[in-house]
Amino acid sequence: AYDYLVLATGATHSYFGHDEWAPFAPGLKRIEDAMAIRRRLLSSFEQAELAPDRDWEALLTFAIVGGGATGVEMAGAIAEMARQTLKRDFRRIDPRSARVMLLEAGPRLLSTYPERLS
C-alpha cells in the first residue's frame, strides 16, 4: 500500500544550452547510461585508492546537478554505494568519506511535486 506513486519519465536530458557539459555530465535515460555512470563511479573509487597523498579527495567528490526525481535518486544511490556497499573494499581510502553534492537552482528539491512531498 502507498499514499502516492511517483513516476519520473523523460525522453531526453538538457544541458540548458551548454552541450559542452555532456562529456562531464552524462545523462541517465537508458540502461546503458546507468551502466556507464556506474562504471565511472567505481573507477573513481579505484583511482582514489591508487592516488598519492590526499589527491583522492577530488576523485571522491560527486556533483549531481538537478534536484528532480532523477537527481535525488542518483545522489542517494551514490551515497549508499560509498557508505554501505564499498565501505570495506579498499585499504588506503575510506569510501565513506566521499562527498555527494546535490545542486538545484530552484528554491527546493523535487519542485514539480507538491511542497509537502518535496
Side-chain angles (χ1 to χ4, degrees):
Y2 54 86
D3 294 326
Y4 294 92
L5 174 62
V6 178
L7 298 175
T9 62
T12 63
H13 49 275
S14 172
Y15 294 105
F16 307 101
H18 292 277
D19 290 338
E20 68 273 14
W21 296 349
F24 309 104
L28 179 57
K29 297 295 180 191
R30 305 170 303 141
I31 297 283
E32 293 82 5
D33 299 335
M35 297 299 289
I37 291 169
R38 180 179 182 271
R39 191 170 32 258
R40 288 171 75 165
L41 288 167
L42 292 174
S43 178
S44 287
F45 284 97
E46 290 171 356
Q47 288 176 38
E49 176 76 358
L50 301 174
D53 300 323
R54 292 189 64 90
D55 290 347
W56 54 265
E57 289 176 332
L59 291 164
L60 297 184
T61 300
F62 305 98
I64 295 88
V65 179
T70 302
V72 170
E73 179 70 21
M74 176 64 70
I78 294 171
E80 181 179 11
M81 177 187 288
R83 287 162 181 75
Q84 300 297 321
T85 308
L86 299 177
K87 69 182 177 183
R88 292 186 181 96
D89 290 351
F90 297 94
R91 292 186 176 136
R92 293 187 60 236
I93 63 166
D94 181 357
R96 296 172 297 177
S97 66
R99 288 180 39 183
V100 180
M101 300 181 297
L102 179 56
L103 310 171
E104 170 56 45
R108 61 189 174 89
L109 300 176
L110 300 172
S111 62
T112 58
Y113 302 108
E115 192 166 348
R116 65 187 185 86
L117 295 177
S118 70

